[in-house]
Amino acid sequence: MKNIAVIDSGSGGLTVANELFGRLPDERIIYVGDHGNCPYGNKSIKDIKASVYRIIRFLGRFELKLLIVACNTATALMLDELKEKLDIPVIGVIEPGAQMAAETTQNRRIGVIATQRTADSHMYQQTIRKKLDGAEVFEQACPKLVSYLENNDTRPGEITSALEEYLAPLRRANVDTLVMGCTHYPLAEQQILKVWGGPVNLVDPARATIDQAVQTLKTNGDLSLAPEGSHLFFTTGDAGEFSQKVKKWTPVDAPVVLTVPDEDPQINRPPGPSTAS
Ligand code: DGL
């Protein structure tokens, strides 16, 4: 049985997995949320890469046909190196989101809301400009949002006031298209639209990412032709809490949720993944 792995710093990648559940119901998804290290977006590049490689080593125990990096931050920092190191196809979320934005805007003014690390990488700006001559891209870091969204106890008012702060400069910049450049943000789509308060093309890169995934599986003759079995959801955090989030944010109502086991500190590991080619 060959599986599709979807990884994120936490629950945000579920917004990408949801597209997969809808489009490719026969595929079996192995989802890993790194809740124990979430949020990534305010951490050092070294720490983020170490966390992602730990997940990649864990995934080495599964037979995989595709890895979807359903995290903009990890995509911005290390998609190319993951593609180089792994012997399976690897898809990130930024290029598909950039393509959608370039195709959607009418006035060539595009806003991107993202984590601090993604905004600092300017990956959206660079990628959109390559696709659309004269595009003006305004990247806005939203450092509070991921923690607010992961924390079930957060009062909606806190998300709204953070959004007021983050969206105001983009409204002033007269963008007609707004990219949710963090896979957690579609969880707050209604709040984003409400705070924006006017017409805007809201881009969720998930759909275009899964278009790429479908194309890759087709090209490789890897599409499943019959149901492959239950999806598995792993977390480096609390399995009970994650189970609640999977039930809340996906159509899977009895998810199999497990904890990623600790690595044996005695083993001297190479810096890269064990599945490296
Ligand atoms: N969902 C991740 C992303 O798309 C959030 C990163 C974080 O944990 O800050 O960037």
Side-chain angles (χ1 to χ4, degrees):
M1 183 196 297
K2 281 182 156 188
N3 308 283
I4 300 175
V6 178
I7 64 171
D8 181 41
S9 64
S11 309
L14 294 175
T15 63
V16 179
N18 277 340
E19 273 305 304
L20 261 181
F21 300 144
R23 296 269 295 279
L24 298 177
D26 288 340
E27 301 291 343
R28 185 185 192 223
I29 314 300
I30 310 287
Y31 185 96
V32 188
D34 196 3
H35 297 86
N37 295 298
C38 188
Y40 281 178
N42 311 335
K43 292 198 167 59
S44 72
I45 296 174
K46 185 166 164 269
D47 286 350
I48 296 167
K49 287 189 176 186
S51 296
V52 172
Y53 277 129
R54 181 190 165 203
I55 291 175
I56 300 292
R57 286 191 297 274
F58 166 70
L59 285 170
R61 67 188 67 196
F62 298 100
E63 202 188 342
L64 300 179
K65 56 185 173 186
L66 177 66
L67 170 66
I68 300 178
V69 183
C71 174
N72 288 265
T73 311
T75 299
L77 299 182
M78 56 192 301
L79 185 69
D80 288 345
E81 79 181 62
L82 288 174
K83 281 184 174 173
E84 206 177 291
K85 287 198 160 113
L86 299 179
D87 55 11
I88 55 170
V90 183
I91 289 175
V93 278
I94 292 184
E95 195 277 333
Q99 182 68 38
M100 278 177 87
E103 286 169 3
T104 304
T105 183
Q106 299 287 312
N107 71 359
R108 293 177 191 243
R109 299 174 73 80
I110 297 166
V112 179
I113 46 175
T115 67
Q116 189 69 55
R117 280 275 162 232
T118 302
D120 289 350
S121 77
H122 301 302
M123 196 60 79
Y124 269 102
Q125 188 178 65
Q126 288 163 15
T127 313
I128 292 170
R129 281 187 181 163
K130 273 189 209 147
K131 294 175 184 294
L132 184 65
D133 276 348
E136 291 213 60
V137 181
F138 304 84
E139 296 165 307
Q140 174 65 49
C142 310
K144 295 180 214 160
L145 284 187
V146 169
S147 300
Y148 284 178
L149 289 165
E150 285 286 352
N151 181 354
N152 285 327
D153 301 331
T154 299
R155 293 184 300 276
E158 282 174 305
I159 295 181
T160 302
S161 64
L163 283 170
E164 293 282 3
E165 174 192 338
Y166 299 141
L167 296 181
L170 299 177
R171 266 199 309 252
R172 281 198 296 275
N174 192 30
V175 303
D176 73 348
T177 299
L178 180 63
V179 181
M180 293 186 281
C182 168
T183 54
H184 280 77
Y185 299 169
L187 300 172
E189 183 173 332
Q190 291 315 314
Q191 284 148 297
I192 292 169
L193 286 171
K194 198 165 170 209
V195 170
W196 188 267
V200 71
N201 303 305
L202 194 59
V203 170
D204 176 357
R207 202 189 67 228
T209 302
I210 300 311
D211 286 345
Q212 275 195 9
V214 172
Q215 201 47 53
T216 303
L217 292 170
K218 270 191 191 155
T219 306
N220 296 344
D222 262 341
L223 275 175
S224 288
L225 301 173
E228 294 280 13
S230 303
H231 306 306
L232 296 178
F233 297 87
F234 288 93
T235 177
T236 55
D238 184 279
E241 273 178 30
F242 187 38
S243 181
Q244 294 307 318
K245 291 175 180 177
V246 175
K247 285 186 213 161
K248 181 171 163 194
W249 285 320
T250 79
V252 183
D253 31 68
V256 181
V257 182
L258 300 160
T259 308
V260 175
D262 287 336
E263 289 188 316
D264 184 347
Q266 302 301 318
I267 299 173
N268 199 6
R269 272 175 210 87
S274 60
T275 48
S277 53

